[in-house]
Amino acid sequence: GMTAAFAGILQATRINEIEPSYVVISGLELKAIAAAVVGGVALTGGRGTILGMVLGAALIDTVDNVQVLMNAP
């Protein structure tokens, strides 16, 4: 719960606004789920580490940034 609240605060400062429709439009919830799965969190719940989740998020973000730099669709 505490880490989710912290992540929400960080995301709100990143996008400079708090609007629920932005999350739905931008697809951030799918990136969050993908980062969790890549980081080793079980979809059934109860298994995974915070370090794995952070590494998964870093990998997803890196891939996204490389696509932007390469002008990939």
Side-chain angles (χ1 to χ4, degrees):
M2 185 74 127
T3 55
F6 184 66
I9 292 169
L10 287 178
Q11 186 61 32
T13 59
R14 180 177 171 210
I15 61 175
N16 294 327
E17 64 181 48
I18 301 174
E19 185 176 335
S21 64
Y22 178 80
V23 176
V24 175
I25 293 169
S26 67
L28 291 176
E29 69 281 355
L30 293 177
K31 285 185 181 180
I33 294 169
V37 172
V38 168
V41 175
L43 288 176
T44 56
R47 300 200 191 267
T49 63
I50 293 175
L51 178 62
M53 176 100 175
V54 169
L55 292 175
L59 181 64
I60 294 291
D61 197 39
T62 301
V63 169
D64 192 34
N65 287 334
V66 167
Q67 288 179 339
V68 168
L69 291 173
M70 294 178 59
N71 294 326

